[in-house]
Amino acid sequence: MSVTNHQLIAFGPLSSSSSSFFAHSNITSSRAQIVGVRVKNVGVVKCVATPPAQQTAYTSKVSRNPNMAKLEAGYLFPEIGRRRNAHMLKYPDAKVISLGIGDTTEPIPDIITSAMAKRAHDLSTLDGYSGYGAEQGEKKVRAAIASTYYGGLGIEEGDIFVSDGAKCDIARLQMLFGSDVTMAVQDPSYPAYVDSSVIMGQTGKYQKDSEKYGKIEYMRCIPENGFFPDLSTVGKTDIIFFCSPNNPTGAAATRDQLTKLVKFAKENGSIIVYDSAYAMYISDDSPRSIYEIPGAKEVAIETASFSKYAGFTGVRLGWTVVPKELLFSDGFPVAKDFNRIVCTCFNGASNISQAGVLACLSLEGLKAMKQVIGFYKENTNIIVDTFKSLGFNVYGGTNAPYVWVHFPGRSSWDVFSEILEKTHVVTTPGSGFGPGGEGFVRVSAFGHRENILEACRRFKELYK
Amino acid sequence: MSVTNHQLIAFGPLSSSSSSFFAHSNITSSRAQIVGVRVKNVGVVKCVATPPAQQTAYTSKVSRNPNMAKLEAGYLFPEIGRRRNAHMLKYPDAKVISLGIGDTTEPIPDIITSAMAKRAHDLSTLDGYSGYGAEQGEKKVRAAIASTYYGGLGIEEGDIFVSDGAKCDIARLQMLFGSDVTMAVQDPSYPAYVDSSVIMGQTGKYQKDSEKYGKIEYMRCIPENGFFPDLSTVGKTDIIFFCSPNNPTGAAATRDQLTKLVKFAKENGSIIVYDSAYAMYISDDSPRSIYEIPGAKEVAIETASFSKYAGFTGVRLGWTVVPKELLFSDGFPVAKDFNRIVCTCFNGASNISQAGVLACLSLEGLKAMKQVIGFYKENTNIIVDTFKSLGFNVYGGTNAPYVWVHFPGRSSWDVFSEILEKTHVVTTPGSGFGPGGEGFVRVSAFGHRENILEACRRFKELYK
């Protein structure tokens, strides 16, 4: 395959599986480049690009956004996907089991998909057709979310913004906050918080020695502090991202801990962005919503999702709560600006997905979701028991579909590779979630039961 | 209804219809505020908020994003919706016809909704279930879009990024570009380009006299220049937004004009963001895609949507093309950064919507879409003929579902109000799209045939 001029040509479509194309690299059109490019079914092909005598590739004069250049590598999960695919190419006969990316695997309960199918069919009828929905979501959906999850907590229909998912909402919240805010994040944490902060220009450069971006306050969450940060050591920031139950550690903050967090935010005048995407996985009496804590409405935004409740990872439906009581320093309601973002940068969640959510929140739907969640929780128990029986220190699992396994003194990418190479099981290396994740591996519990059991058999074999 | 402390309390849910809550206003928690708030079924209630002697509403210490404060008013279409709803409250017996917001009204063809219903049902089966899709879109969908719309133009599957709509893509493109770029926009134009630019901090303040934001290059498009800007008068900018067929003027740029535009972009090193959402409405031989112009792949991104083709305004599916040939000034491929944005700030378009698109792009689906588009085009003709017969200068219509009617010397909001008050028909005032829209009103052609005919009867009555 020839390389014309000295442009880097992507072989095959851009996708998670060919993200070697997107590995961080400096490409300038005036230098000869030796690039390793993955070619489907062939392996890695080395392409030497040399500038031909006469032609230079045209470039625009638009400067690359320096914030994009700050990003240290690709987003974590496409990288996991790339390594999984590379492994599958290398061992075409191996039965690779994916417990890496937290992707749901079980079919969506009928009651939910039937509602979506009905809505689809209705769209072909005169009476049932609907065009643009309210950007904040259909009234019924907002009302159902408010009553199901926030009944008695003083959160109302009007505080709910329905979306195509919490990850997308995080980006929109970052657009809302702008570049002049500082943020604190748990360490380790779901990578979208840090990465979107970098993209929006809130951070300094990546520091290779600490594996941290400048200007972000990393709140270390480790076994020694029960995965809740010592707030007395945390600097003041405008925004505090907090995920509970936590991805990746699985830790659910207690009522006491969240009370401390709300107090901390109030004293500092910070806004908490509380990610409650795994709330329905809670087994004990840990709070499901930040709004169970008095005073939280004045300091916290809460984001959530049906991805891990209803298998909606592909269907796409989430929501964000912005209480009317949440105000910027000049008294301007945060909800007003978020509404403006939602009206300008978004056009509503899919009406079909929303129909699905109405079914999710029916009595029967809630029961059905509880069953699916229960299934994944059983998976989680199996994984926890396996690693415990092998003598590992194991965290998470109780209140989340993630198991956080400690490999003290070892590089998490090394452990990831070892597990992948020797058991053909994909996990996620803890350091992918931040330096606080080093020495840990996240095992996700989404999978068919037989795959979970088989993976655990292989773990037992490897680490016996 | 009492106002506790001096917080502004939203009456009823936040929605497009209650956007008076979101009218631009300065709210500080330390001053008494007299606010007019719309209360459902009651009308406007004046609330005087006075600080009680002892308590002050808590505010965070987070500064409001100054870019949000720059926005002059709410997003245009919720305002149109608010006025429509206010009118309906005022005249509960009037049959209000909405030709304002360009919202599709006709049922989606069966072949498309059946595919979506099937996909929904399949999600309840072991074999048919799918979780997270590739953030760039399902392979088949990307391939179908590439071959249907870009066959022979050198745009491939890998250049296509499937999304939940062009409006959402515009915001993600703005995040990609960052705050340090300058932009040019047609005047008038679809408000999302300017508003997202303001939000991202690319602009200066709003200047009330010129009705323009600082640092934006407004390219006036008026009858005198055939709705194509005189590029010799346009300053150099990094980004050029160009929509053709145009919303709101309906003008479709010719091959010659687009060749000039590409040349202009190339000479200046600019990147064109070409909005082709109405391409399938073209009746003549105007280019459907910017990539019909030689050299465009090196200077242009193209965004598009199934909203107005398949009635997907609520279903949500669009796409953006970022050619591999498009490079930043340092040679870095724009697609690489856009892919990073898509992987970090988005989680893929709904799998059900994508199934719908596969059906849209089948032979039968293309035929079905053509029929629906043809129906709206007939509506357009009826509206064009009506205003022409009344002696108006009428533009657009031929290549787009919008009719751009000239009311020389009159304020477009006044004409909007007059038409609404006297005929109960909602239109969109041209100045809502920029100062170049003053003196025009946009009449959208989406509607049931009987409503279009009735609206036209009323126009004839009013303007005979």
Side-chain angles (χ1 to χ4, degrees):
Chain A
M1 215 164 297
S2 65
V3 178
T4 56
N5 297 334
H6 39 269
Q7 285 167 325
L8 180 68
I9 294 174
F11 293 88
L14 264 57
S15 71
S16 296
S17 66
S18 55
S19 64
S20 58
F21 176 67
F22 302 117
H24 184 71
S25 67
N26 240 343
I27 301 174
T28 57
S29 53
S30 54
R31 293 205 307 252
Q33 288 281 315
I34 297 181
V35 275
V37 181
R38 175 157 304 284
V39 177
K40 238 173 118 153
N41 297 328
V42 175
V44 176
V45 169
K46 258 201 195 154
C47 304
V48 181
T50 17
Q54 285 164 330
Q55 261 177 311
T56 319
Y58 170 86
T59 74
S60 76
K61 292 195 183 114
V62 181
S63 299
R64 186 183 178 208
N65 182 347
N67 296 325
M68 297 301 296
K70 280 183 196 147
L71 288 167
E72 180 58 11
Y75 190 63
L76 174 63
F77 297 111
E79 180 60 22
I80 302 300
R82 194 190 70 77
R83 295 204 187 205
R84 175 195 63 216
N85 295 347
H87 187 79
M88 286 163 74
L89 280 180
K90 191 172 166 192
Y91 299 100
D93 296 324
K95 195 180 167 212
V96 175
I97 298 173
S98 287
L99 302 181
I101 297 164
D103 195 9
T104 47
T105 54
E106 302 311 289
I108 298 174
D110 258 339
I111 185 182
I112 297 164
T113 54
S114 298
M116 294 197 287
K118 180 179 187 307
R119 185 69 183 265
H121 283 307
D122 284 351
L123 290 171
S124 280
T125 68
L126 221 53
D127 285 336
Y129 180 76
S130 63
Y132 286 120
E135 297 91 336
Q136 307 83 359
E138 294 172 5
K139 253 181 94 50
K140 280 192 195 168
V141 177
R142 298 170 82 191
I145 289 172
S147 64
T148 303
Y149 294 108
Y150 304 101
L153 297 181
I155 294 296
E156 300 162 338
E157 180 188 319
D159 302 319
I160 311 284
F161 294 82
V162 181
S163 77
D164 63 323
K167 187 181 182 192
C168 319
D169 279 340
I170 284 158
R172 283 187 278 268
L173 286 167
Q174 296 286 38
M175 281 189 86
L176 162 74
F177 295 136
S179 57
D180 292 336
V181 296
T182 53
M183 63 168 272
V185 76
Q186 287 163 296
D187 176 29
S189 70
Y190 179 55
Y193 317 137
V194 167
D195 288 11
S196 59
S197 184
V198 175
I199 288 170
M200 277 306 296
Q202 299 164 357
T203 78
K205 292 193 164 174
Y206 185 77
Q207 298 142 6
K208 276 192 144 65
D209 51 353
S210 61
E211 291 176 38
K212 296 179 175 181
Y213 288 94
K215 285 174 70 181
I216 294 182
E217 189 71 26
Y218 288 78
M219 305 184 294
R220 182 142 292 206
C221 291
I222 46 179
E224 291 80 352
N225 59 20
F227 297 99
F228 187 79
D230 178 356
L231 295 174
S232 69
T233 67
V234 176
K236 173 179 159 168
T237 59
D238 296 300
I239 312 297
I240 303 171
F241 279 92
F242 200 91
C243 178
S244 180
N246 189 261
N247 176 9
T249 70
T254 65
R255 199 164 307 273
D256 273 350
Q257 289 170 332
L258 292 181
T259 302
K260 284 194 174 84
L261 182 68
V262 167
K263 181 167 181 281
F264 178 74
K266 205 146 203 170
E267 285 165 357
N268 287 343
S270 310
I271 293 176
I272 298 167
V273 175
Y274 190 81
D275 186 341
S276 66
Y278 300 96
M280 285 183 79
Y281 282 80
I282 291 174
S283 299
D284 55 25
D285 62 359
S286 305
R288 269 78 169 148
S289 163
I290 189 66
Y291 304 114
E292 293 184 37
I293 310 302
K297 289 203 295 267
E298 293 171 322
V299 301
I301 290 168
E302 180 163 303
T303 191
S305 172
F306 283 91
S307 283
K308 309 298 163 71
Y309 298 168
F312 267 30
T313 38
V315 174
R316 309 307 313 150
L317 205 301
W319 76 89
T320 289
V321 183
V322 188
K324 55 189 80 63
E325 293 86 342
L326 187 66
L327 309 174
F328 287 115
S329 57
D330 65 353
F332 197 87
V334 177
K336 216 165 144 162
D337 272 350
F338 189 61
N339 187 71
R340 186 48 150 104
I341 295 272
V342 154
C343 288
T344 309
C345 306
F346 184 56
N347 228 334
S350 177
N351 46 17
I352 296 175
S353 308
Q354 293 194 64
V357 159
L358 281 177
C360 286
L361 300 180
S362 68
L363 271 170
E364 211 190 309
L366 285 165
K367 245 198 294 189
M369 286 199 297
K370 201 171 174 202
Q371 271 194 308
V372 178
I373 289 168
F375 173 84
Y376 291 130
K377 286 167 74 64
E378 283 164 16
N379 284 353
T380 314
N381 291 340
I382 292 166
I383 296 169
V384 167
D385 290 345
T386 297
F387 280 99
K388 275 186 167 164
S389 73
L390 291 167
F392 286 94
N393 283 328
V394 176
Y395 304 95
T398 314
N399 291 317
Y402 297 121
V403 185
W404 192 237
V405 187
H406 200 193
F407 289 81
R410 296 199 61 191
S411 141
S412 57
W413 275 106
D414 284 351
V415 179
F416 164 88
S417 298
E418 170 179 276
I419 293 175
L420 182 56
E421 193 65 30
K422 296 186 180 173
T423 70
H424 304 303
V425 177
V426 186
T427 58
T428 315
S431 62
F433 299 95
E438 185 58 287
F440 291 87
V441 156
R442 186 192 80 171
V443 185
S444 113
F446 298 109
H448 297 325
R449 182 59 50 83
E450 60 268 23
N451 288 335
I452 299 295
L453 292 169
E454 174 59 20
C456 288
R457 259 191 296 273
R458 299 180 193 177
F459 295 147
K460 284 182 169 149
E461 198 50 46
L462 176 61
Y463 290 117
K464 66 187 175 201
Chain B
M1 218 163 297
S2 65
V3 178
T4 56
N5 298 334
H6 39 269
Q7 286 169 327
L8 182 66
I9 295 175
F11 294 87
L14 264 56
S15 71
S16 296
S17 64
S18 54
S19 65
S20 58
F21 175 67
F22 302 115
H24 183 72
S25 66
N26 242 341
I27 301 173
T28 58
S29 54
S30 53
R31 295 205 305 253
Q33 287 278 316
I34 297 181
V35 274
V37 181
R38 176 156 304 285
V39 178
K40 239 173 120 158
N41 299 327
V42 175
V44 178
V45 168
K46 259 200 196 152
C47 304
V48 182
T50 13
Q54 286 164 328
Q55 260 178 312
T56 320
Y58 170 85
T59 74
S60 75
K61 294 197 181 116
V62 180
S63 299
R64 185 184 179 208
N65 183 347
N67 296 325
M68 297 301 294
K70 279 183 196 149
L71 289 166
E72 180 57 13
Y75 189 63
L76 174 64
F77 297 111
E79 179 60 23
I80 302 299
R82 192 190 71 76
R83 296 205 188 203
R84 174 196 64 215
N85 295 346
H87 186 80
M88 284 164 74
L89 280 179
K90 190 172 166 192
Y91 298 100
D93 297 324
K95 195 179 167 211
V96 175
I97 299 174
S98 288
L99 302 182
I101 298 164
D103 194 9
T104 48
T105 55
E106 302 312 287
I108 298 174
D110 258 339
I111 187 181
I112 298 164
T113 54
S114 299
M116 294 197 288
K118 180 179 187 309
R119 184 70 183 263
H121 283 307
D122 284 351
L123 291 170
S124 280
T125 68
L126 220 53
D127 285 337
Y129 179 75
S130 62
Y132 285 120
E135 297 91 339
Q136 307 82 359
E138 293 173 7
K139 254 184 92 51
K140 280 192 196 168
V141 177
R142 299 169 84 191
I145 289 172
S147 63
T148 303
Y149 295 107
Y150 304 101
L153 296 181
I155 295 295
E156 299 161 339
E157 179 188 321
D159 302 318
I160 310 284
F161 294 82
V162 181
S163 77
D164 63 325
K167 187 181 183 194
C168 319
D169 279 341
I170 284 158
R172 282 187 280 267
L173 285 167
Q174 296 285 39
M175 281 189 87
L176 163 73
F177 294 136
S179 57
D180 291 336
V181 294
T182 53
M183 62 168 272
V185 76
Q186 286 163 296
D187 176 26
S189 70
Y190 178 56
Y193 317 138
V194 166
D195 288 10
S196 59
S197 185
V198 175
I199 288 170
M200 278 305 297
Q202 297 164 357
T203 79
K205 293 194 164 174
Y206 185 76
Q207 297 144 6
K208 275 191 146 65
D209 50 353
S210 60
E211 290 174 43
K212 294 180 177 181
Y213 289 93
K215 285 173 71 179
I216 295 183
E217 189 72 26
Y218 288 78
M219 306 185 291
R220 181 141 293 205
C221 291
I222 44 177
E224 291 80 352
N225 60 19
F227 298 99
F228 188 80
D230 178 357
L231 296 173
S232 69
T233 66
V234 176
K236 174 180 158 165
T237 59
D238 296 302
I239 313 298
I240 304 171
F241 280 91
F242 200 91
C243 176
S244 180
N246 189 262
N247 176 9
T249 69
T254 64
R255 199 165 306 274
D256 274 349
Q257 289 170 333
L258 292 180
T259 303
K260 285 194 175 81
L261 181 67
V262 167
K263 180 167 180 282
F264 178 74
K266 205 146 203 170
E267 283 164 0
N268 286 344
S270 310
I271 292 176
I272 298 167
V273 175
Y274 191 80
D275 186 342
S276 66
Y278 301 95
M280 285 182 79
Y281 282 79
I282 292 175
S283 300
D284 56 25
D285 62 359
S286 304
R288 269 75 170 152
S289 162
I290 190 64
Y291 304 115
E292 293 184 38
I293 310 300
K297 289 203 294 267
E298 295 170 323
V299 301
I301 289 167
E302 181 163 301
T303 191
S305 172
F306 282 91
S307 283
K308 309 299 163 70
Y309 297 169
F312 268 29
T313 37
V315 173
R316 309 307 314 148
L317 206 301
W319 76 89
T320 289
V321 183
V322 188
K324 54 189 83 61
E325 293 87 340
L326 187 66
L327 310 174
F328 287 114
S329 57
D330 64 355
F332 197 87
V334 176
K336 217 166 143 161
D337 273 349
F338 190 63
N339 187 71
R340 186 50 151 101
I341 295 272
V342 153
C343 288
T344 308
C345 306
F346 183 57
N347 229 334
S350 176
N351 46 17
I352 295 173
S353 309
Q354 293 194 64
V357 159
L358 280 178
C360 286
L361 300 181
S362 67
L363 272 172
E364 211 189 311
L366 285 165
K367 246 196 295 189
M369 288 200 296
K370 199 168 173 205
Q371 273 194 307
V372 177
I373 290 168
F375 172 84
Y376 290 131
K377 285 169 73 63
E378 282 164 18
N379 284 353
T380 316
N381 292 339
I382 291 165
I383 296 167
V384 167
D385 289 346
T386 297
F387 279 99
K388 274 187 168 162
S389 74
L390 291 166
F392 286 95
N393 282 327
V394 175
Y395 305 95
T398 314
N399 291 316
Y402 298 120
V403 185
W404 192 237
V405 188
H406 199 194
F407 288 82
R410 296 198 59 190
S411 142
S412 58
W413 276 106
D414 284 351
V415 177
F416 164 87
S417 299
E418 169 181 274
I419 293 175
L420 182 55
E421 192 64 30
K422 296 185 179 175
T423 69
H424 305 302
V425 177
V426 186
T427 57
T428 316
S431 61
F433 300 95
E438 186 57 289
F440 291 86
V441 155
R442 186 192 81 171
V443 185
S444 114
F446 298 108
H448 297 326
R449 183 57 52 80
E450 60 267 24
N451 288 335
I452 300 292
L453 292 170
E454 174 60 19
C456 287
R457 258 191 296 272
R458 298 179 193 177
F459 294 148
K460 282 182 171 150
E461 198 50 44
L462 175 61
Y463 291 117
K464 65 186 175 201

